[in-house]
């Protein structure tokens, strides 16, 4: 079955956030004090998350990415993933993590049926890494990457948010990981989720990142495989890993957008930057699979054509990525 939106885009990708809590505090994602703690009942139970996934897969979703907050801090995550992996019709199960708990959990994630890991890694300098993440330990993340490969995962994709004056001096070193370690590295434009004054000072466009790389390397363009993300992909000749550029802000991958999102509190969104959200709780408590299928279809049908975050005067409600799941 194919799930199409009103513009004819195939929607086959669900990003499901399982928690808004995190064991890091990346300054571009979360306030230093963390997110406002919610009562247990505000967060969807694993049963509820499974019902959403199963219903969405029944409608045509083929790929599910588990995200957060930090998904590995939620108790019982491996058991949940294993049940999710067992849903018939799911072709690809991926998880995005900050990697802090990966060293101890990689084998369980692999056994559960997760096929691919994305790990966020914004710096190879322990001090810069700790500054960006407000205390994160780079060494543990690197140990986590090794553990993931030992457990049988392909080299995790590394998500790098490039910010001017913070880590843009590391673009070449980070790209080098595609040769040294063989990980795909994806450079992501900084997104103004909390629109505090002066947010533009951090922004570096994907084009500029690409130009800086091209000064030092001949980049080969790479064709995208099935379930490829919204990046434009390149390769330094001979490198095992690819370099992806995600122009979430400046360029528009909206025309190829294939995703919907559900937050850990059960809010479904057709676009990260739209204020439109639909509360799924009425279809989960008590469970109403038919109502849920209907409302998911409506969300897909109403998916906006594109975001307009770079337009002057455009505003969206402030939110943290940790609430929506990136
Ligand atoms: N905790 C996990 C992690 O960090 O990978 C998963 C959740 S995190 C919200 C998902 C992704 O969103 C991360 O790769 C993170 O770098 C990205 N992200 C968060 N805030 C961002 C921002 N303001 N601009 C661009 N990317 C952002
Ligand atoms: Fe936590 Fe990920 Fe947000 Fe960093 S980006 S604060 S690791 S949820």
């Amino acid at each position: 079955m194919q799930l199409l939106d009103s513009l004819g885009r195939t929607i086959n990708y669900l990003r499901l956030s399982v928690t808004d809590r995190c064991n890091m505090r990346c300054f571009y994602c979360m306030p230093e004090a963390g997110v406002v703690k919610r009562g247990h009942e505000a967060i969807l139970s694993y049963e509820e998350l499974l019902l959403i996934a199963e219903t969405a897969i029944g409608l045509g979703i083929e790929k599910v990415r588990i995200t957060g907050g930090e998904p590995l801090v939620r108790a019982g995550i491996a058991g949940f993933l294993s049940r999710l992996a067992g849903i018939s019709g799911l072709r690809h199960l991926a998880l995005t993590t900050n990697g802090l708990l990966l060293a101890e959990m990689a084998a369980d994630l692999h056994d559960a049926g997760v096929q691919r890991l994305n790990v966020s890694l914004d710096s190879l300098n322990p001090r810069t890494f700790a500054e960006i993440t407000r205390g994160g330990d780079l060494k543990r993340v690197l140990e986590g990457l090794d553990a993931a490969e030992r457990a049988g995962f392909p080299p995790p994709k590394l998500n790098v948010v490039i910010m001017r004056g913070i880590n843009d001096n590391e673009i070449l070193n980070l790209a080098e990981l595609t040769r040294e370690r063989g990980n795909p590295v994806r450079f992501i434009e900084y997104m103004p989720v909390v629109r505090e004054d002066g947010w533009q000072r951090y922004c570096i466009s994907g084009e500029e990142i690409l130009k800086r790389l091209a000064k030092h390397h001949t980049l080969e363009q790479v064709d995208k495989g099935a379930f490829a993300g919204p990046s434009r992909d390149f390769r330094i000749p001979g490198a095992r890993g690819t370099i992806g550029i995600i122009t979430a802000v400046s360029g528009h991958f909206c025309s190829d957008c294939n995703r919907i999102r559900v937050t850990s509190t059960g809010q479904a969104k057709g676009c990260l930057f739209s204020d439109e959200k639909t509360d799924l709780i009425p279809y989960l408590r008590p469970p109403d699979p038919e109502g849920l299928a209907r409302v998911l279809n409506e969300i897909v049908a109403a998916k906006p054509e594109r975001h307009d975050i770079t337009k002057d005067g455009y505003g969206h409600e402030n939110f943290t990525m940790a609430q929506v799941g990136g």
Side-chain angles (χ1 to χ4, degrees):
M1 195 196 269
Q2 231 189 350
L3 189 56
L4 294 176
D5 73 2
S6 62
L7 300 163
R9 293 174 295 195
T10 301
I11 308 304
N12 59 5
Y13 177 18
L14 168 66
R15 293 179 68 98
L16 199 50
S17 172
V18 295
T19 179
D20 55 4
R21 297 196 182 179
C22 189
N23 48 0
M24 283 193 192
R25 294 282 183 274
C26 304
F27 81 87
Y28 52 69
C29 175
M30 257 202 195
E32 190 154 15
V35 291
V36 179
K37 291 223 167 43
R38 295 169 203 275
H40 186 60
E41 66 302 330
I43 300 296
L44 299 183
S45 68
Y46 284 140
E47 291 302 330
E48 290 164 345
L49 289 162
L50 287 165
L51 179 58
I52 293 170
E54 194 165 13
T55 308
I57 292 164
L59 295 174
I61 293 292
E62 299 175 297
K63 168 174 173 177
V64 175
R65 174 176 300 284
I66 297 304
T67 176
E70 173 48 39
L72 301 190
V73 300
R74 182 155 174 184
I77 187 75
F80 161 70
L81 290 165
S82 148
R83 292 173 69 194
L84 181 59
I87 297 176
S88 135
L90 178 63
R91 292 181 55 202
H92 194 83
L93 177 58
L95 178 136
T96 300
T97 171
N98 62 28
L100 265 191
L101 295 174
L102 203 48
E104 46 267 53
M105 295 180 71
D108 287 348
L109 298 178
H110 193 260
D111 289 351
V114 176
Q115 288 152 281
R116 181 105 228 188
L117 297 173
N118 283 19
V119 175
S120 300
L121 181 68
D122 296 331
S123 174
L124 293 171
N125 174 325
R127 268 226 332 253
T128 311
F129 185 83
E131 271 164 29
I132 293 174
T133 58
R134 299 200 186 98
D137 181 355
L138 175 65
K139 190 162 155 277
R140 283 186 68 194
V141 177
L142 296 176
E143 286 164 3
L145 293 179
D146 293 337
E149 290 194 53
R150 276 199 307 276
F153 284 106
K157 263 190 199 167
L158 304 178
N159 285 348
V160 184
V161 180
I162 288 290
M163 294 158 285
R164 196 181 301 283
I166 308 263
N167 62 350
D168 61 323
N169 57 339
E170 293 191 58
I171 292 174
L172 287 175
N173 289 351
L174 287 156
E176 209 47 57
L177 294 176
T178 63
R179 285 205 282 214
E180 280 169 12
R181 299 187 53 110
N183 299 78
V185 173
R186 305 191 318 162
F187 293 108
I188 305 174
E189 290 178 342
Y190 167 78
M191 295 181 234
V193 289
V194 180
R195 293 171 67 86
E196 54 197 15
D197 285 348
W199 63 267
Q200 290 94 339
R201 71 181 178 278
Y202 295 126
C203 295
I204 297 196
S205 69
E207 277 317 309
E208 183 178 338
I209 296 171
L210 206 51
K211 272 195 194 135
R212 290 211 209 169
L213 284 165
K215 272 194 195 152
H216 300 265
H217 298 290
T218 314
L219 296 173
E220 299 167 345
Q221 193 128 9
V222 176
D223 285 341
K224 294 162 61 113
F227 301 119
S231 57
R232 278 187 296 153
D233 291 341
F234 303 87
R235 189 188 299 278
I236 299 174
R240 258 197 313 147
T242 52
I243 295 175
I245 308 280
I246 306 196
T247 53
V249 178
S250 69
H252 272 296
F253 55 71
C254 301
S255 58
D256 290 328
C257 186
N258 63 349
R259 58 192 60 191
I260 54 171
R261 299 176 153 80
V262 177
T263 70
S264 56
T265 56
Q267 306 300 306
K269 287 186 92 165
C271 172
L272 180 60
F273 289 105
S274 160
D275 291 338
E276 289 289 318
K277 44 186 184 282
T278 306
D279 188 3
L280 300 183
I281 297 282
Y283 309 95
L284 297 168
R285 301 178 185 172
D288 170 11
E290 279 169 26
L292 189 57
R294 198 177 55 247
V295 78
L296 288 174
N297 265 321
E298 285 167 10
I299 291 158
V300 167
K303 218 175 127 58
E305 183 178 353
R306 53 176 287 168
H307 73 65
D308 284 318
I309 52 175
T310 48
K311 275 201 182 147
D312 277 352
Y314 177 81
H316 60 75
E317 279 176 13
N318 277 341
F319 61 93
T320 65
M321 277 303 193
Q323 284 165 331
V324 185

